[in-house]
Amino acid sequence: MQAASETVLQADDGTILLPERLVDLLRLEGFGLAGELLATLLAAFLIGNLMLAMTALAGPWAKRKITAAFTDRIAVNQIGPGGIGIIVADSVRLLSKENIIPENADRPAFDLAPLVIASSALLGFAVIPMGSGIHLADPEVGLAFVFAVASIASVGLVMAGYASANKYSMLGGLRAVAQNIAYEIPLVVTGMSVVVFAGSLRMSTIVDVQAQTLIDLGVVTIPAWFALVNPFAFVLFLIANFAEIGRNPFDTPEAPTEIVAGYQTEYSSVYFVLIYLGEFIHIFLGGAIVATVFLGGPAGPGPAELGLVWFLVKIWGIFLLTQWLRSALPRVRIDQLIEIGWKGLLILSFVNLVLTAILVAVLQTTGVIA
């Protein structure tokens, strides 16, 4: 029975996934498929709650403290040590508000949009290797899967904008579609340049390839992280990623000075919380993709047991960068945003892909790589 469990819950390359570890830890081998299902649900619950806890910390508290530090303000400091109690206070305040529904709203779409926005990002973490054995699934098309589920959020934004029966919400939804189409193609094409190097879409394989040595200086060994192997692709990917998650200078779908709050103008109470939650989960998912594809995933100094720590440090570093840009860069106009995506980033991403393919072919011909 245990052998059958390992067959189902192990990745094809032999990686032990978190559900399989839970089967062994909780001694669920004797329950067959039911035990495997229970372990998988428990693993998904643990990973989902880890991300939700980080989001709860980032949204009401960390965002304000970081922005205040950049803009020389005080931010929250009255409720709890360092203002950390604002998390509970804001949760109670928002959830206790009346949930107001516009009179002419398309009710099914209006109700479902916040759930689509929030859940799509959580699905992406299913294939992200976080280190220390925390890896829910490892399909052969892992990178394509995470791009696909992350893009579902665009559907939620369109639903929210259309269903709100508000012209400003509609404009925000249309801007979100235009932005995501303009930047999702460069994001995927740049990601494919990493696949050309790694030779696989499997997330664990991409991480393993980056564990090789790029430069050995004796005392210090520099790993072959793709951010170091191909910094040009890393910069392109970061820019496209910021546009995908709607961070400055690419937050035009919710531009308060022009369209009130865009697609979320008519949302309040628990619906607003779900949209706000989805926004920050997408920031962390974007950081997780960057960390996995370009920064070695959970790799870092020290024993392998610290993998989760290093992984979280990297995605919090990306979050810090998004807040820095939010304080430092002005929002670009919608016409500038589209022009940057179609006339700049798209062309550069294809140039990077072609050059990467040529470089890999040369290295394979000379025997530098297999």
mmCIF file of all heavy atoms in Angstrom, residues 92-100 268-270:
data_model
loop_
_atom_site.group_PDB
_atom_site.id
_atom_site.type_symbol
_atom_site.label_atom_id
_atom_site.label_comp_id
_atom_site.label_asym_id
_atom_site.label_seq_id
_atom_site.Cartn_x
_atom_site.Cartn_y
_atom_site.Cartn_z
ATOM 1 N N VAL A 92 -11.777 43.323 11.276
ATOM 2 C CA VAL A 92 -13.084 43.505 11.916
ATOM 3 C C VAL A 92 -13.831 44.669 11.281
ATOM 4 O O VAL A 92 -15.045 44.595 11.002
ATOM 5 C CB VAL A 92 -12.916 43.734 13.432
ATOM 6 C CG1 VAL A 92 -14.252 44.095 14.072
ATOM 7 C CG2 VAL A 92 -12.319 42.492 14.093
ATOM 8 N N ARG A 93 -13.126 45.762 11.018
ATOM 9 C CA ARG A 93 -13.767 46.950 10.444
ATOM 10 C C ARG A 93 -14.351 46.660 9.066
ATOM 11 O O ARG A 93 -15.504 47.022 8.775
ATOM 12 C CB ARG A 93 -12.743 48.081 10.346
ATOM 13 C CG ARG A 93 -13.256 49.342 9.664
ATOM 14 C CD ARG A 93 -12.198 50.436 9.705
ATOM 15 N NE ARG A 93 -10.989 50.058 9.005
ATOM 16 C CZ ARG A 93 -10.805 50.208 7.695
ATOM 17 N NH1 ARG A 93 -11.775 50.714 6.931
ATOM 18 N NH2 ARG A 93 -9.659 49.862 7.133
ATOM 19 N N LEU A 94 -13.576 46.024 8.199
ATOM 20 C CA LEU A 94 -14.030 45.783 6.835
ATOM 21 C C LEU A 94 -15.127 44.725 6.773
ATOM 22 O O LEU A 94 -16.106 44.872 6.042
ATOM 23 C CB LEU A 94 -12.842 45.369 5.965
ATOM 24 C CG LEU A 94 -11.830 46.476 5.653
ATOM 25 C CD1 LEU A 94 -10.587 45.908 4.998
ATOM 26 C CD2 LEU A 94 -12.459 47.532 4.749
ATOM 27 N N LEU A 95 -14.958 43.648 7.526
ATOM 28 C CA LEU A 95 -15.933 42.565 7.469
ATOM 29 C C LEU A 95 -17.258 42.935 8.122
ATOM 30 O O LEU A 95 -18.293 42.317 7.837
ATOM 31 C CB LEU A 95 -15.365 41.309 8.125
ATOM 32 C CG LEU A 95 -14.155 40.685 7.411
ATOM 33 C CD1 LEU A 95 -13.620 39.508 8.199
ATOM 34 C CD2 LEU A 95 -14.529 40.243 5.999
ATOM 35 N N SER A 96 -17.247 43.928 9.019
ATOM 36 C CA SER A 96 -18.490 44.328 9.690
ATOM 37 C C SER A 96 -19.265 45.385 8.901
ATOM 38 O O SER A 96 -20.389 45.729 9.267
ATOM 39 C CB SER A 96 -18.184 44.872 11.087
ATOM 40 O OG SER A 96 -17.357 46.029 11.017
ATOM 41 N N LYS A 97 -18.679 45.896 7.816
ATOM 42 C CA LYS A 97 -19.387 46.890 7.003
ATOM 43 C C LYS A 97 -20.507 46.240 6.188
ATOM 44 O O LYS A 97 -20.471 45.039 5.905
ATOM 45 C CB LYS A 97 -18.402 47.596 6.066
ATOM 46 C CG LYS A 97 -17.490 48.603 6.742
ATOM 47 C CD LYS A 97 -16.577 49.251 5.739
ATOM 48 C CE LYS A 97 -15.718 50.334 6.381
ATOM 49 N NZ LYS A 97 -16.509 51.498 6.811
ATOM 50 N N GLU A 98 -21.460 47.048 5.816
ATOM 51 C CA GLU A 98 -22.559 46.548 4.983
ATOM 52 C C GLU A 98 -22.051 46.237 3.585
ATOM 53 O O GLU A 98 -21.276 47.012 2.993
ATOM 54 C CB GLU A 98 -23.675 47.586 4.904
ATOM 55 C CG GLU A 98 -24.853 47.135 4.048
ATOM 56 C CD GLU A 98 -25.921 48.204 3.920
ATOM 57 O OE1 GLU A 98 -25.725 49.305 4.499
ATOM 58 O OE2 GLU A 98 -26.933 47.949 3.247
ATOM 59 N N ASN A 99 -22.466 45.108 3.050
ATOM 60 C CA ASN A 99 -22.093 44.726 1.690
ATOM 61 C C ASN A 99 -23.127 45.319 0.727
ATOM 62 O O ASN A 99 -24.238 44.807 0.589
ATOM 63 C CB ASN A 99 -22.049 43.203 1.572
ATOM 64 C CG ASN A 99 -21.430 42.762 0.257
ATOM 65 O OD1 ASN A 99 -20.705 43.515 -0.381
ATOM 66 N ND2 ASN A 99 -21.724 41.538 -0.155
ATOM 67 N N ILE A 100 -22.769 46.418 0.095
ATOM 68 C CA ILE A 100 -23.694 47.159 -0.764
ATOM 69 C C ILE A 100 -23.580 46.646 -2.203
ATOM 70 O O ILE A 100 -22.482 46.598 -2.764
ATOM 71 C CB ILE A 100 -23.396 48.664 -0.711
ATOM 72 C CG1 ILE A 100 -23.531 49.168 0.735
ATOM 73 C CG2 ILE A 100 -24.322 49.426 -1.644
ATOM 74 C CD1 ILE A 100 -23.109 50.593 0.925
ATOM 75 N N SER A 268 -17.538 46.483 -1.609
ATOM 76 C CA SER A 268 -17.400 46.859 -0.206
ATOM 77 C C SER A 268 -17.413 45.608 0.661
ATOM 78 O O SER A 268 -17.626 44.493 0.169
ATOM 79 C CB SER A 268 -18.551 47.796 0.208
ATOM 80 O OG SER A 268 -19.798 47.148 0.002
ATOM 81 N N SER A 269 -17.148 45.792 1.945
ATOM 82 C CA SER A 269 -17.218 44.724 2.944
ATOM 83 C C SER A 269 -16.379 43.511 2.529
ATOM 84 O O SER A 269 -15.245 43.666 2.092
ATOM 85 C CB SER A 269 -18.678 44.339 3.185
ATOM 86 O OG SER A 269 -18.793 43.430 4.252
ATOM 87 N N VAL A 270 -16.945 42.325 2.642
ATOM 88 C CA VAL A 270 -16.188 41.101 2.422
ATOM 89 C C VAL A 270 -15.734 40.974 0.966
ATOM 90 O O VAL A 270 -14.674 40.413 0.681
ATOM 91 C CB VAL A 270 -17.021 39.866 2.850
ATOM 92 C CG1 VAL A 270 -18.251 39.698 1.960
ATOM 93 C CG2 VAL A 270 -16.175 38.607 2.823
#
